[in-house]
Amino acid sequence: MERSEVARYWEANADTWTRHVRAGHDIYRDALNTPSFLAMLPPIAGLSGLDIGCGEGTNTRQLARLGARVHGVDIAPTFIRHAQAAEAVEPLGIVFQTGDGHALPFEDCSFDFATAFMSLMDMPDQGRALSEAFRVLRPGGFLQFAILHPCFVPPHRKVLRDEAGRAWAIEVGGYFDAIDGRVDRWWFETLSAEERKKDAPFLTPRFHRTLSGWVEMIVQAGFVIERFLEPRASEALAAAQPVVADTRVGPLALLVRARKPGPPVPAS
Ligand SMILES: C[S@@+](CC[C@H](N)C(=O)[O-])C[C@H]1O[C@@H](n2cnc3c(N)ncnc32)[C@H](O)[C@@H]1O
């Protein structure tokens, strides 16, 4: 699928997506993935960072609240408009602008760190996006990103549940199929039937790669892998937010931190 077509899908999702995530429907993000991501993040106070595929900017704002000077880029102008509107209401010094992860609108060595929360796997040429992240980082800078877990969210995934509705296994298939732009149609799980009548489902193009494919692309871009993390809900979180209880059986996301060789840039 052409990059311009992918961009059109995200632009079409952007208004509804912003409304739904800000109403709290992205429970995997808010309850599990972002807290895990931030816990894994090295100190960033005083550093300059770029959030790639920032969407409506909720996670970018979290980075700014940790004391970083942050830019956010997204392919979809409507997401950037919503992010800028939130910045106008609560100024955190974030610069949001439209931009393509495959051709970042920044000079070489512009940032101390980069993040990408669940966005790299949505790009058709992830190797190129990783190389772009590498290019805009200073030596010693790091990229930390979250993606759908290549092993547990391949082209086919089904959560198997017992009679009480408890997840006990994850059925997966098509792991070796490098799909390029299969369009998935879905809503956030907590969206009511009423709301589903009002709002069309999201249409999101998928670009699945294997785990070894990701490692290969990260290393080819020039990075040294530093950490992997697979967020798992605690028993207490799974009880409070049953939507994420399936992550006690197998992870939904994979978090990766990789560094551009050089002495690490110290945070203030
Ligand atoms: C699953 S959403 C995640 C949004 C946000 N990072 C978050 O965690 O809430 C994926 C985001 O990637 C963006 N995206 C997709 N392809 C992109 C590209 N080539 N360059 C920049 N952003 C892109 C989409 O517009 C969308 O905002």
Side-chain angles (χ1 to χ4, degrees):
M1 181 184 278
E2 292 294 318
R3 284 192 237 151
S4 54
E5 198 181 347
V6 180
R8 280 197 296 277
Y9 276 105
W10 281 105
E11 176 60 14
N13 292 328
D15 266 327
T16 311
W17 186 286
T18 301
R19 199 157 28 83
H20 289 184
V21 297
R22 290 188 181 172
H25 286 294
D26 196 347
I27 294 173
Y28 283 108
R29 182 188 76 170
D30 296 339
L32 182 61
N33 291 338
T34 298
S36 305
F37 192 103
L38 297 179
M40 172 173 155
L41 201 64
I44 56 169
L47 300 187
S48 66
L50 172 66
D51 188 23
I52 302 166
C54 62
E56 47 74 53
T58 292
N59 285 330
T60 325
R61 288 188 284 283
Q62 300 268 34
L63 301 171
R65 288 190 193 104
L66 291 173
R69 301 183 305 281
V70 199
H71 277 65
V73 289
D74 199 281
I75 196 80
T78 295
F79 272 134
I80 292 301
R81 195 164 41 77
H82 286 299
Q84 287 169 336
E87 171 67 16
V89 172
E90 185 198 352
L92 292 166
I94 307 172
V95 179
F96 287 106
Q97 65 188 85
T98 49
D100 184 348
H102 300 94
L104 290 169
F106 301 102
E107 301 285 312
D108 296 359
C109 306
S110 297
F111 299 98
D112 300 320
F113 73 94
T115 53
F117 295 82
M118 293 293 194
S119 58
L120 288 181
M121 80 258 169
D122 293 323
M123 301 184 196
D125 188 345
Q126 294 128 347
R128 168 123 188 230
L130 286 162
S131 296
E132 275 295 277
F134 185 89
R135 180 183 67 74
V136 301
L137 281 172
R138 301 197 174 100
F142 69 87
L143 166 69
Q144 185 169 306
F145 64 92
I147 50 174
L148 285 174
H149 199 300
C151 306
F152 291 90
V153 199
H156 171 77
R157 168 189 168 94
K158 186 176 174 194
V159 178
L160 305 184
R161 298 180 186 279
D162 64 17
E163 281 161 15
R166 280 185 296 261
W168 65 274
I170 313 284
E171 180 183 283
V172 296
Y175 177 69
F176 290 106
D177 301 343
I179 54 169
D180 275 299
R182 183 188 79 193
V183 178
D184 287 350
R185 187 178 181 277
W186 58 282
W187 287 275
F188 287 117
E189 236 171 288
T190 48
L191 208 71
S192 68
E194 263 324 288
E195 288 170 299
R196 286 174 198 221
K197 278 187 207 146
K198 278 195 315 229
D199 286 326
F202 301 127
L203 297 177
T204 54
R206 286 280 313 267
F207 301 91
H208 167 70
R209 305 288 180 263
T210 60
L211 180 60
S212 55
W214 276 101
V215 169
E216 190 69 20
M217 289 188 288
I218 295 164
V219 171
Q220 280 291 318
F223 286 110
V224 175
I225 294 174
E226 239 173 45
R227 268 198 79 181
F228 267 26
L229 183 80
E230 296 163 309
R232 181 191 193 203
S234 64
E235 273 185 38
L237 177 60
Q241 298 285 5
V243 167
V244 301
D246 59 2
T247 63
R248 293 196 53 74
V249 179
L252 184 85
L254 174 67
L255 275 48
V256 178
R257 189 167 77 229
R259 199 169 286 275
K260 180 167 179 167
V265 194
S268 61

